[in-house]
Amino acid sequence: GDFAPVDHVLNDAEAIHLADFELKVFPNPTTEKITMVVNKAGADRLEVTLFDIDGKVVFAGAWLPLMESRKTVDMQALPAGIYVLRLGAGDQVVHRQLLKI
């Protein structure tokens, strides 16, 4: 499907650009949760999907950044390892690698 391995590990200082969005995801690596914060708002809806290393969906949801400028994904119950965060806005998609320790 649209799951692709990512060789790029995001660091805290790096912004993700998507549609007219600019957002940050932190902390990475994480121990219990990640927080996504919009720096520059654009599209009004983001699809958020988190995959484990086998491509299985472990979190999926919609985020309306105009309503809430930050969204948290709880990863506490997930085993340590590499995850891929997929963010979609309209027909644009970005993938970022996350490390749970």
Side-chain angles (χ1 to χ4, degrees), residues 34-46:
I34 55 162
T35 300
M36 298 174 289
V37 180
V38 171
N39 295 341
K40 189 176 80 123
D44 53 6
R45 180 185 169 95
L46 275 178

Side-chain angles (χ1 to χ4, degrees), residues 33-82:
K33 65 183 179 184
I34 55 162
T35 300
M36 298 174 289
V37 180
V38 171
N39 295 341
K40 189 176 80 123
D44 53 6
R45 180 185 169 95
L46 275 178
E47 299 294 332
V48 180
T49 314
L50 189 64
F51 300 91
D52 67 14
I53 196 67
D54 297 319
K56 196 173 93 220
V57 174
V58 295
F59 173 88
W63 175 26
L64 306 173
L66 295 175
M67 312 281 280
E68 49 175 347
S69 61
R70 58 176 55 214
K71 183 171 181 71
T72 299
V73 176
D74 187 356
M75 297 177 69
Q76 203 160 2
L78 298 173
I82 294 170

